DNA sequence: ACAAAAGTGTTACGGCTACACCCATGC
DNA sequence: GCATGGGTGTAGCCGTAACACTTTTGT
């Protein structure tokens, strides 16, 4: 999709599935911190989750994928829907009208962009270093934000973000996470920091290692991370086959 | 909402949030079997999940609640959204047109009921004995079906049902279940059958009892179930306060 | 009396927790 | 050499699985 087509506000009524949007919480991991990719809205002093609309004949999941691809430059991303936000008052037609005026797009009072929207939230896990953040036509910046320092967000986007984090934590309890967030090779401490950041609590170094190794989804390489201070840690990588298997089967049951 | 208003197909364009529906998988438990409430479509030889549309200014969750209330007569039901089904080819405009003709409702080719629909799936847990199944205006029957004997379903409703069951199993792993499905007083074997049915596997009687009691959400009464063959089992009931607490906190973590 | 179901208890195993100890590296 | 972080090991605890025994009820 080229630049011309990307300017969503110029589309006609009838281009998109009406009253429906997708919003993506894109998680990355950098400097031992979980980060999210946010857009700075033009004119307004608020940030927003990358989102978009679904073409009339497009699969909803595919639309989310498209948004991801446009903002990060990446394809084939781990992406999962987690909640539909459907309160009638979550839309702010006045705010959207302001956007249209700012962009100097003529519009009628019944313009599709001013209707009520319900939105499906997705969360995505990406490898931070491979991402090239790219703003869309309604935003003047696209940047990573530390999860602890997220600025004021548009509409109910803060709620969406919180719910995404909750969903991510839940996933952690019964599925492996990491393949999508880390580089191909990583150390055990790096993986542990990732888990700790998502969970928001400290874990015992030795118990973590034992538990994660017991899942039998990791392969230790004969390499070590050199150049760092202190003892050089081993490098690991995921055994993709076993990783996929664990994703499907779930790690533990409870029952 | 009275009968007049319930005939959804007679509503105008603009009454509902466009291109969007909710479908409910209503689970009940009877005769040691998990059952689902299904509607027999008028004319066609297929069954369907109870569903409906969302009024222009209605909360999506509220709409699902309304559907539940209309089909079961119950209020205040355990209800949870689990997945949005958004493939473009899941709608069948021809089938819907047939429905309109059958109901002898005049319609234009661009009638709202013939557009593409995406649907949000909910699952509900209800107390079987309190339900009074009531068909809607598009269906000639509303009945419970044994999960093992579900007939052919409309469109992608079979998929929706399967996904609901999956979500229910997942919930079982980290939250208590039962308060919404059983009568106020119940025996340990009854609760066990419920768990076994949802999980689709047998559990050890004694270990089950210990584990569920360890959750500390049950109260044993001084009564026993009389009249049944063999030794009379104790009656239990949920401690609602602790039950709610367990719902919120989750039973176990994994991490 | 007997079969079937329910109440209660015991033992062994495995995973988790909370530690201690040694090794490597940069300052 | 010392502080810091990484690799490996171990004892105790607890939940779970797999079992045996007793009690109650209907036939």
């Amino acid at each position: 999709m080229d630049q011309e087509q990307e300017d969503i506000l110029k589309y006609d009524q009838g281009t998109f599935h009406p009253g429906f949007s997708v919003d993506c919480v894109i998680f990355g991991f950098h400097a031992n911190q979980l980060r999210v990719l946010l857009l700075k809205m033009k004119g307004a002093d608020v940030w927003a989750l990358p989102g978009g609309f679904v073409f009339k004949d497009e699969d909803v999941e595919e639309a989310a994928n498209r948004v991801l691809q446009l903002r990060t430059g990446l394809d084939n991303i781990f992406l999962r829907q987690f909640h539909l936000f459907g309160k009638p008052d979550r839309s702010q037609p006045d705010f959207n009208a302001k956007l249209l005026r700012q962009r100097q797009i003529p519009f009628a009072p019944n313009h599709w962009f001013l209707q009520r929207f319900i939105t499906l939230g997705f969360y995505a896990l990406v490898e931070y270093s491979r991402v090239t953040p790219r703003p869309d036509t309604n935003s003047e910046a696209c940047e990573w934000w530390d999860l602890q320092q997220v600025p004021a967000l548009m509409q109910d986007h803060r709620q969406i973000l919180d719910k995404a984090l909750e969903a991510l934590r839940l996933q952690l309890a019964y599925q492996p996470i990491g393949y999508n967030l880390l580089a191909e090779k990583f150390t055990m401490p790096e993986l542990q920091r990732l888990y700790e950041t998502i969970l928001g609590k400290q874990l015992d170094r030795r118990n973590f290692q034992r538990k994660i190794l017991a899942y039998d989804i990791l392969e230790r390489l004969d390499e070590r991370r050199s150049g760092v201070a202190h003892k050089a840690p081993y490098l690991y990588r995921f055994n993709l086959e076993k990783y996929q298997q664990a994703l499907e089967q779930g790690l533990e049951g409870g029952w």
Side-chain angles (χ1 to χ4, degrees), chain A:
Chain A
M1 171 168 294
D2 61 39
Q3 282 298 95
E4 193 64 36
Q5 284 176 305
E6 205 191 324
D7 193 347
I8 50 174
L9 294 187
K10 289 184 178 161
Y11 276 102
D12 285 342
Q13 170 106 20
T15 307
F16 297 114
H17 193 84
F20 184 78
S21 60
V22 295
D23 283 304
C24 299
V25 182
I26 307 175
F27 289 109
F29 191 65
H30 180 67
N32 281 340
Q33 288 293 333
L34 207 54
R35 319 190 97 192
V36 282
L37 200 60
L38 297 177
L39 295 171
K40 171 86 189 297
M41 301 307 284
K42 273 181 187 159
D45 203 29
V46 289
W47 292 70
L49 295 172
F53 304 103
V54 180
F55 286 113
K56 206 114 191 130
D57 281 308
E58 186 183 30
D59 184 5
V60 170
E61 305 270 341
E62 181 48 39
N65 245 310
R66 184 165 46 77
V67 171
L68 264 292
Q69 214 272 320
L70 286 169
R71 293 304 131 249
T72 65
L74 298 185
D75 217 332
N76 232 308
I77 286 177
F78 179 93
L79 183 65
R80 186 172 291 190
Q81 58 159 278
F82 65 93
H83 195 79
L84 183 115
F85 298 83
K87 289 203 193 311
D89 60 353
R90 66 170 299 279
S91 296
Q92 297 175 345
D94 292 349
F95 181 88
N96 287 4
K98 199 177 117 194
L99 266 182
L100 284 170
R101 273 192 295 273
Q102 255 168 12
R103 302 279 320 286
Q104 301 186 326
I105 298 169
F107 63 94
N110 67 344
H111 189 278
W112 63 268
F113 190 54
L114 304 180
Q115 320 261 309
R116 170 188 176 190
F117 277 90
I118 59 183
T119 195
L120 184 62
F122 285 81
Y123 67 91
L125 306 178
V126 303
E127 197 180 319
Y128 182 86
S129 61
R130 295 180 55 213
V131 171
T132 318
R134 232 170 288 169
D136 64 17
T137 47
N138 293 313
S139 49
E140 56 192 41
C142 181
E143 287 170 19
W144 286 107
W145 283 80
D146 212 283
L147 205 53
Q148 310 303 324
Q149 289 150 29
V150 168
L153 297 183
M154 216 179 93
Q155 293 180 22
D156 57 353
H157 286 198
R158 177 74 223 190
Q159 258 178 273
I160 299 178
L161 172 57
D162 289 340
K163 194 103 183 169
L165 192 57
E166 197 182 299
L168 181 61
R169 281 185 183 151
L170 195 57
Q171 190 196 332
L172 206 59
Y174 68 99
Q175 284 184 332
I177 279 185
Y179 177 70
N180 318 278
L181 284 163
L182 298 171
E184 197 207 337
K185 301 174 181 180
F186 52 89
T187 67
M188 193 59 76
E190 281 164 8
L191 182 59
Q192 184 178 342
R193 298 299 160 253
L194 172 59
Y195 269 69
E196 288 178 336
T197 313
I198 295 177
L199 292 168
K201 69 176 181 188
Q202 304 284 101
L203 299 171
D204 184 278
R205 188 168 61 87
R206 298 146 285 193
N207 295 333
F208 175 81
Q209 168 149 334
R210 206 145 4 118
K211 186 165 178 177
I212 204 97
L213 284 177
Y215 288 160
D216 192 28
I217 53 173
L218 290 178
E219 281 169 7
R220 191 168 89 174
L221 307 176
D222 281 335
E223 278 171 274
R224 288 161 182 264
R225 171 84 76 221
S226 59
V228 292
H230 318 302
K231 186 171 182 176
Y234 282 107
L235 288 173
Y236 290 82
R237 73 166 159 232
F238 287 103
N239 178 322
L240 199 44
E241 200 179 326
K242 291 179 177 173
Y243 188 90
Q244 291 293 356
Q245 206 177 316
L247 264 184
E248 284 157 29
Q249 297 184 355
L251 290 172
E252 45 221 297
W255 293 95

